[in-house]
Amino acid sequence: MKIGIIGGSKPNTGSGKYAFKLYETLMYNTKDKDINYLYFDKNSLKKYDDENNQNRIIAKTKKSPFLKSIYYPHVLCKKIPKYALYHITIQQLSFLRLYPRVITVLDIIHTTHPESICHYLIGKYMWYKRLKEKNTIYISISHHTKNDLIKHFKIPEDNIKVIYLAADDKLYKPLPKKDIEQVLQKYNLKLDENRKYILYVGSEHPRKNLPLLLKSIYLLRKKYDINPILIKVGAESYKKQHKLINK
């Protein structure tokens, strides 16, 4: 069976890494190697074959922000070959007319928690306008997202399979004590068995709701006399968030 795995996020993002790892795992564990990975980026129009694996295809489109929002879907459709099955690895690409298909849905935040009316309309009339279609099976990463799909898009429950995201066992694994001590020293961290720690790993994008976490820590200290230490992993990208962290 010829399978096309389609991704729209860079491999250093959460959804991008999911798509790349899915492709690589299938290629490693599947006898039938007739699997292509198609990655669409919005920066330049180019077809790229990976040097180590000719089955990976990257198609890109270069447009101004305004034209990109209009022509991007049409460019994508024209670049996608014919497959017996398509796996669309992020819900924002569900508008593509590709069938039969599997769609991985991380969330439908543009519908449930839009940042603005523009955010909501983009989701409704572009990204999600073909989310509910025939010949589609949905992979939801949580029961919460599954319930959102049923509630907001009336998708039959039997068509949704909950499959949790997995950790990369090559990246996330116990470290030798020596390496742990080096990390603690590098970031000036002193672990105390009598203290509580909260680990936050992620960006400072508003949708991550970092202010709510900081307010919760404040309440723990003020109301319950619990003084946890917040360890944050991720780049500084929003000045307002960083000011709140410093408080």
Side-chain angles (χ1 to χ4, degrees):
M1 178 185 287
K2 193 171 184 180
I3 301 173
I5 297 177
I6 301 171
S9 303
K10 294 180 180 180
N12 62 333
T13 64
S15 56
K17 183 168 291 187
Y18 163 78
F20 272 85
K21 286 296 179 182
L22 175 66
Y23 167 74
E24 290 173 355
T25 301
L26 287 173
M27 288 299 297
Y28 181 78
N29 294 302
T30 307
K31 292 181 180 179
D32 182 4
K33 300 296 184 181
D34 201 3
I35 302 172
N36 285 358
Y37 182 88
L38 286 83
Y39 164 55
F40 296 98
D41 187 85
K42 303 185 181 79
N43 296 324
S44 60
L45 183 58
K46 182 180 179 182
K47 193 170 184 177
Y48 169 78
D49 292 325
D50 190 286
E51 293 180 358
N52 300 318
N53 195 328
Q54 295 299 317
N55 285 333
R56 180 174 298 169
I57 302 171
I58 302 181
K60 303 182 179 181
T61 179
K62 187 174 184 180
K63 296 282 184 184
S64 68
F66 175 73
L67 292 176
K68 182 167 59 182
S69 63
I70 298 175
Y71 293 112
Y72 185 46
H74 303 289
V75 173
L76 293 188
C77 290
K78 291 178 181 179
K79 299 295 293 187
I80 299 175
K82 180 66 177 177
Y83 293 96
L85 177 67
Y86 300 89
H87 186 162
I88 299 173
T89 59
I90 188 168
Q91 64 278 351
Q92 277 94 326
L93 294 179
S94 63
F95 60 79
L96 296 170
R97 290 190 177 96
L98 304 171
Y99 311 97
R101 62 183 185 171
V102 175
I103 299 177
T104 295
V105 182
L106 308 177
D107 58 59
I108 51 171
I109 195 169
H110 292 77
T111 298
T112 57
H113 298 88
E115 295 179 8
S116 64
I117 185 63
C118 181
H119 201 238
Y120 172 79
L121 293 174
I122 288 174
K124 182 175 182 179
Y125 293 107
M126 182 177 171
W127 290 340
Y128 303 158
K129 68 178 181 179
R130 295 191 187 94
L131 185 59
K132 184 182 179 181
E133 294 277 328
K134 296 180 180 179
N135 299 321
T136 302
I137 293 296
Y138 305 85
I139 294 176
S140 169
I141 67 167
S142 69
H143 285 281
H144 181 83
T145 296
K146 176 182 177 179
N147 292 335
D148 281 344
L149 287 171
I150 296 170
K151 177 181 178 180
H152 296 281
F153 291 92
K154 311 302 180 187
I155 293 173
E157 184 175 0
D158 291 343
N159 289 2
I160 308 171
K161 313 298 179 184
V162 176
I163 302 176
Y164 301 117
L165 296 177
D168 186 344
D169 58 0
K170 294 180 181 179
L171 181 62
Y172 301 103
K173 56 187 177 182
L175 291 175
K177 187 176 181 180
K178 182 180 178 181
D179 292 347
I180 294 175
E181 291 174 351
Q182 289 178 350
V183 172
L184 294 175
Q185 186 176 1
K186 179 179 179 180
Y187 295 101
N188 195 27
L189 296 173
K190 296 180 181 180
L191 298 185
D192 184 346
E193 294 181 357
N194 298 318
R195 294 293 297 275
K196 303 293 183 181
Y197 294 86
I198 297 176
L199 175 64
Y200 173 82
V201 182
S203 72
E204 295 178 1
H205 193 281
R207 73 174 186 274
K208 301 294 184 179
N209 211 355
L210 185 56
L212 181 62
L213 173 61
L214 299 175
K215 290 175 183 177
S216 300
I217 294 174
Y218 174 78
L219 287 176
L220 286 174
R221 291 175 176 173
K222 187 175 182 180
K223 192 173 181 179
Y224 299 99
D225 197 27
I226 299 175
N227 191 24
I229 295 176
L230 173 63
I231 300 176
K232 177 183 172 296
V233 180
E236 300 174 14
S237 52
Y238 288 81
K239 291 183 179 180
K240 289 182 179 180
Q241 304 274 41
H242 198 244
K243 288 179 181 178
L244 190 58
I245 292 172
N246 288 333
K247 284 184 180 180

